[in-house]
Amino acid sequence: MAAQTRIGLAGLAVMGQNLALNIAEKGFAVSVYNRTTSKVDETVERAKEEGNLPLYGFYDPESFVQSIQKPRVIIILVKAGRPVDETIKTLSAYMEKGDCIIDGGNEWYENTERREKEMTERGLLYLGMGVSGGEEGARNGPSLMPGGSFEAFKNIEDIVLKVSAQVPDSGPCVTYIGTGGSGNFVKMVHNGIEYGDMQLISEAYDVLKNIGKLSNDELKEVFSEWNKGELLSFLVEITADIFGIKDDKADGYLVDKVLDKTGMKGTGKWTVQQAADLSVAAPTIASSLDSRFLSGLKEERVQAAKVFKSGGVDEILSNQAVDKKKLIDDVRQALYASKICSYAQGMNLLRAKSVEKGWGLKLGELARIWKGGCIIRAIFLDRIKQAYDRNSELANLLVDPEFAKEMIERQAAWRRVVCLAVNAGISTPGMSSSLAYFDSYRRESLPANLVQAQRDYFGAHTYERIDMPGAFHTEWFKIAKQSKI
Ligand SMILES: *[C@@H]1O[C@H](CO)[C@@H](O)[C@H](O)[C@H]1NC(C)=O
């Protein structure tokens, strides 16, 4: 290798390898490094096989860093937390003023802010860049969410514009998100929304399978059909695929053999914690997290199912006659309406954080860069972008005129599905909590007057009145005591 490369990538697990190959394929010479030398060889080999891509492997950090043209740009893709600090320490030892480090992992945004500060003190630029799309996205076009130093973003803008997913009519799925840890934060909420989407889809599956008695073949057909309309999305598409895949170890379909225990890595939990910290209601996302916790209690659920055997779900279900076709259509509408609530929650969380941190997030622009490459990519995001284009100050997606109309059209079907599920003993925490969110948000008056009265009664927390300004306190206890005499 004679000339210097344009960019470096350290950390060659699957995501790193694929992103490096993607960058090289777009014509940017890339240096790659991993402490484990076999990973370097593997990546170099793949670059050869995939068409002699301009990718060069290095076994030691110093020659890796020096192979990159100045100002140097290095993307690191290692496990979040300590490994990121260690990799930064190793590489930055050879880097110079004006060079730039980009962390592409699912990092907690405050870690990014801490590192950006540390790097700034040493004259280095820093970006925390959310990368979504899994292995396939990394290789063929992910959604990229870079936040941090704007100068650093400018250094890689030409690369990320080409490497990211390209969506006709809306452009490359990348934008400068904002300062500090905003890129990581936006990716975190993206993942929280992804939790919600997956939970809602699983509830649709549960209702159709256990109340509608649909077979896997029928489910495949239903989800394929849904993927042609307003629900068109990556997650609905792969769901249809899953129902068609036969077990390779025994008879039947693979999905029926998968243990009902969902794993998690933390971004969903962080999303819910942040929502609580910022007093933003995010019940759909929270219920998807709770569902994962409950799924983990497999052994306890097996025991509980025995305890509640008599009068259980099967008994209730056998007394139901359902119109399959109508149920399928109702569930489609319930899924869509719930999804609007879930995205409304995620967007409101992003806005609240943006206000707190002064990030100036553009919600419509975020919807745009999620239209391709990432796991939550969906035709529906175009509608969200349009809603924020119509009104960037929109208080809640639910009250956008277009979405409001869709909610009104779907609420009857939505209520039918939730009622049916409740009566059948099939839990639909995502759909039910979405509906409760909608029903609370759309009501002028809530029973919160009673809660506030109780608070003033026992804790003198005062209350406001509907008919005059000011803070009031009443000696509820005294008055109640007198009236008891
Ligand atoms: C190299 O690869 C190993 C896995 O084989 C990984 O644990 C490590 O973090 C990678 N990254 C770097 C920068 O060495």
Side-chain angles (χ1 to χ4, degrees):
M1 191 193 97
Q4 290 194 300
T5 58
R6 174 72 174 78
I7 188 168
L9 196 144
L12 299 172
V14 201
M15 286 292 281
Q17 284 192 16
N18 283 352
L19 191 61
L21 291 165
N22 181 354
I23 293 170
E25 188 189 53
K26 300 292 151 26
F28 302 100
V30 56
S31 302
V32 297
Y33 163 73
N34 199 104
R35 212 174 11 170
T36 313
T37 56
S38 62
K39 291 275 164 199
V40 177
D41 296 337
E42 218 178 288
T43 314
V44 169
E45 193 52 40
R46 279 186 67 189
K48 273 204 196 101
E49 281 167 13
E50 296 184 22
N52 276 324
L53 303 177
L55 181 147
Y56 307 92
F58 295 87
Y59 298 129
D60 72 286
E62 185 173 7
S63 54
F64 165 67
V65 171
Q66 277 161 7
S67 72
I68 306 161
Q69 73 179 49
K70 295 183 204 174
R72 301 183 183 94
V73 177
I74 297 176
I75 299 177
I76 55 179
L77 265 164
V78 299
K79 264 208 184 77
R82 275 268 301 281
V84 176
D85 287 308
E86 281 160 15
T87 308
I88 290 174
K89 194 167 167 224
T90 305
L91 299 176
S92 65
Y94 309 104
M95 296 177 81
E96 296 164 72
K97 259 193 172 45
D99 288 353
C100 165
I101 295 177
I102 303 169
D103 173 16
N106 271 330
E107 187 54 275
W108 171 240
Y109 81 99
E110 287 179 340
N111 285 343
T112 292
E113 301 195 332
R114 165 176 60 78
R115 289 172 191 138
E116 188 188 3
K117 235 164 123 192
E118 289 165 6
M119 291 302 113
T120 306
E121 280 163 18
R122 301 173 50 180
L124 298 180
L125 309 178
Y126 197 82
L127 278 174
M129 180 169 73
V131 179
S132 177
E135 297 171 21
E136 204 273 334
R139 179 63 186 85
N140 299 312
S143 177
L144 298 173
M145 295 154 248
S149 157
F150 184 67
E151 195 186 336
F153 172 74
K154 279 290 166 193
N155 288 344
I156 55 149
E157 192 174 13
D158 58 332
I159 300 177
V160 292
L161 284 173
K162 286 228 171 86
V163 162
S164 59
Q166 311 288 314
V167 175
D169 303 328
S170 72
C173 292
V174 62
T175 191
Y176 174 68
I177 303 288
T179 56
S182 60
N184 294 123
F185 194 90
V186 167
K187 173 63 182 3
M188 177 199 80
V189 175
H190 161 285
N191 285 24
I193 291 173
E194 177 185 312
Y195 272 53
D197 273 352
M198 293 168 81
Q199 175 63 27
L200 292 170
I201 289 172
S202 77
E203 291 173 16
Y205 158 60
D206 200 6
V207 169
L208 292 176
K209 181 185 174 187
N210 289 306
I211 300 180
K213 304 292 179 207
L214 270 70
S215 67
N216 285 321
D217 286 339
E218 289 172 308
L219 286 162
K220 180 181 167 62
E221 209 186 300
V222 167
F223 277 84
S224 304
E225 204 52 43
W226 286 357
N227 200 41
K228 292 175 188 156
E230 65 196 11
L231 287 170
L232 188 150
S233 59
F234 171 70
L235 284 168
V236 167
E237 180 189 334
I238 66 165
T239 303
D241 289 347
I242 287 170
F243 293 126
I245 292 174
K246 295 260 170 63
D247 191 353
D248 60 347
K249 293 183 177 56
D251 276 351
Y253 289 90
L254 188 52
V255 67
D256 297 323
K257 310 291 169 57
V258 176
L259 186 68
D260 52 335
K261 235 180 177 179
T262 312
M264 68 196 104
K265 284 206 201 144
T267 44
K269 183 178 82 180
W270 292 342
T271 304
V272 174
Q273 286 172 330
Q274 281 295 302
D277 279 349
L278 291 157
S279 304
V280 173
T284 313
I285 300 173
S287 73
S288 67
L289 185 66
D290 288 339
S291 296
R292 290 196 184 196
F293 296 153
L294 286 165
S295 82
L297 306 177
K298 176 70 176 176
E299 295 75 17
E300 283 182 46
R301 286 188 285 113
V302 169
Q303 293 310 316
K306 285 180 191 150
V307 173
F308 295 101
K309 191 96 188 151
S310 93
V313 176
D314 293 339
E315 214 165 297
I316 299 166
L317 277 178
S318 59
N319 301 327
Q320 303 244 353
V322 289
D323 176 347
K324 248 192 204 185
K325 209 164 161 238
K326 182 152 194 299
L327 180 69
I328 293 167
D329 197 53
D330 278 357
V331 172
R332 176 183 57 78
Q333 296 184 58
L335 179 53
Y336 187 79
S338 301
K339 200 173 148 100
I340 296 175
C341 291
S342 181
Y343 280 68
Q345 296 159 26
M347 287 302 188
N348 283 0
L349 170 55
L350 286 170
R351 172 152 44 209
K353 193 69 182 182
S354 179
V355 168
E356 183 198 78
K357 303 284 291 184
W359 284 335
L361 296 182
K362 296 183 195 72
L363 301 182
E365 181 68 354
L366 299 182
R368 181 189 71 77
I369 67 164
W370 289 343
K371 275 178 63 183
C374 65
I375 304 298
I376 64 169
R377 60 185 183 261
I379 198 155
F380 168 71
L381 283 158
D382 208 37
R383 306 186 63 78
I384 297 183
K385 181 185 179 297
Q386 288 164 14
Y388 287 116
D389 284 349
R390 278 189 287 274
N391 176 8
S392 63
E393 304 295 309
L394 191 63
N396 191 306
L397 278 180
L398 298 182
V399 294
D400 166 71
E402 291 287 316
F403 280 123
K405 192 166 147 271
E406 293 182 341
M407 299 296 286
I408 292 163
E409 285 164 4
R410 284 159 186 75
Q411 62 167 327
W414 192 10
R415 292 179 198 285
R416 278 195 297 274
V417 171
V418 170
C419 285
L420 194 61
V422 167
N423 285 326
I426 302 274
S427 55
T428 52
M431 288 185 184
S432 309
S433 63
S434 299
L435 181 56
Y437 176 78
F438 170 66
D439 278 337
S440 295
Y441 189 71
R442 69 171 181 81
R443 284 182 75 195
E444 190 179 326
S445 300
L446 289 171
N449 52 331
L450 179 60
V451 176
Q452 193 59 22
Q454 291 168 331
R455 295 185 73 237
D456 190 52
Y457 189 127
F458 66 70
H461 294 296
T462 75
Y463 56 92
E464 293 172 271
R465 295 182 54 100
I466 57 171
D467 52 357
M468 54 185 86
F472 296 85
H473 169 61
T474 298
E475 299 285 330
W476 304 83
F477 181 70
K478 249 190 222 157
I479 300 168
K481 205 171 159 196
Q482 278 163 7
S483 68
K484 275 179 197 158
I485 299 165

